[in-house]
Amino acid sequence: KQEVTQIPAALSVPEGENLVLNCSFTDSAIYNLQWFRQDPGKGLTSLLLIQSSQREQTSGRLNASLDKSSGRSTLYIAASQPGDSATYLCAVIEGTQKLVFGQGTRLTINP
Amino acid sequence: DTAVSQTPKYLVTQMGNDKSIKCEQNLGHDTMYWYKQDSKKFLKIMFSYNNKELIINETVPNRFSPKSPDKAHLNLHINSLELGDSAVYFCASSLTDRNQPQHFGDGTRLSIL
């Protein structure tokens, strides 16, 4: 049974810092990995999707990497801003397009 | 606006009642999903439909019955509501391609009194 773990559970950093969020999964037989952002009281916004054959994806200040063999992914956020404060979720897709989620990292960027 | 929309946004009801949550997407997707986010913020898949056919049913009590009248709609009906059903329910949709992202609605917060 696939399990997805995100470390740390919460992170607080000053504005302007670069930071890394971690995600690990137990079964490497995944199709892809997706990073989401969730703001309080809102739904999930898809940030990046990395296919299993890819090593990384970039969008603006965000860079996500995937090491499928070791069961790890990282989300790198450059030059963090207060507007980046949210919960970040990673999820892997397996089988019939079922997303298996981690429990998220609650990120706070302090002005 | 193109989106996944759910109604209602909030639902407060008493134990034992029956309620429905509606979901519609205008993204042209052919697969739709229901996820449950519990009090610890953990998100878990409940159901998935592809072109109105059920393809995922994840050990959900049979008090929960999804209905897909067409590929743009996936409604969730819940019978005999229990306290443990209190959660946020999210609808999502995607193309039938594992390498396409899933798009989520804003959620329905269900509170059982």
Side-chain angles (χ1 to χ4, degrees):
Chain A
K1 179 186 170 188
Q2 178 76 264
E3 290 185 4
V4 180
T5 304
Q6 290 186 246
I7 294 173
L11 181 64
S12 180
V13 301
E15 182 178 0
E17 279 202 5
N18 303 325
L19 58 100
V20 175
L21 307 180
N22 296 293
C23 173
S24 61
F25 46 96
T26 54
D27 186 346
S28 62
I30 63 168
Y31 289 98
N32 64 47
L33 184 144
Q34 201 167 350
W35 281 94
F36 293 89
R37 168 187 173 135
Q38 185 175 24
D39 293 284
K42 293 288 188 181
L44 280 67
T45 301
S46 179
L47 298 173
L48 289 163
L49 182 148
I50 312 177
Q51 297 179 23
S52 61
S53 58
Q54 297 174 326
R55 298 285 290 183
E56 64 180 82
Q57 281 285 334
T58 298
S59 175
R61 293 181 295 109
L62 303 179
N63 176 277
S65 69
L66 174 63
D67 185 342
K68 190 178 163 186
S69 60
S70 67
R72 293 181 183 174
S73 176
T74 61
L75 179 67
Y76 175 82
I77 303 177
S80 58
Q81 302 170 358
D84 295 331
S85 298
T87 296
Y88 289 80
L89 295 154
C90 80
V92 298
I93 277 224
E94 55 178 27
T96 50
Q97 290 188 257
K98 181 174 80 170
L99 276 174
V100 180
F101 282 89
Q103 289 191 265
T105 294
R106 192 172 65 254
L107 176 64
T108 303
I109 307 299
N110 301 306
Chain B
D1 287 346
T2 55
V4 180
S5 57
Q6 301 178 223
T7 54
K9 189 173 175 67
Y10 300 97
L11 187 51
V12 181
T13 189
Q14 292 192 328
M15 220 165 38
N17 285 348
D18 303 338
K19 289 294 178 186
S20 292
I21 306 171
K22 295 185 177 181
C23 179
E24 176 181 4
Q25 56 89 9
N26 60 4
L27 296 165
H29 292 164
D30 46 17
T31 304
M32 296 185 72
Y33 313 80
W34 278 109
Y35 290 85
K36 178 180 180 181
Q37 188 171 42
D38 62 23
S39 57
K40 296 182 179 178
K41 305 297 185 187
F42 189 56
L43 262 164
K44 190 171 181 183
I45 182 97
M46 298 174 68
F47 300 104
S48 170
Y49 270 71
N50 176 260
N51 283 315
K52 305 193 296 176
E53 299 284 333
L54 179 67
I55 57 172
I56 296 175
N57 183 345
E58 285 281 310
T59 329
V60 177
N62 57 17
R63 297 183 295 103
F64 290 78
S65 52
K67 294 278 192 303
S68 182
D70 56 61
K71 70 177 188 177
H73 296 82
L74 180 61
N75 304 321
L76 184 64
H77 188 77
I78 316 171
N79 289 329
S80 303
L81 281 157
E82 300 178 357
L83 288 174
D85 297 332
S86 294
V88 182
Y89 293 85
F90 287 98
C91 178
S93 71
S94 73
L95 293 170
T96 308
D97 179 343
R98 295 184 185 94
N99 291 315
Q100 292 296 319
Q102 294 185 19
H103 297 260
F104 282 72
D106 284 344
T108 295
R109 182 174 295 277
L110 174 63
S111 300
I112 310 301
L113 304 177

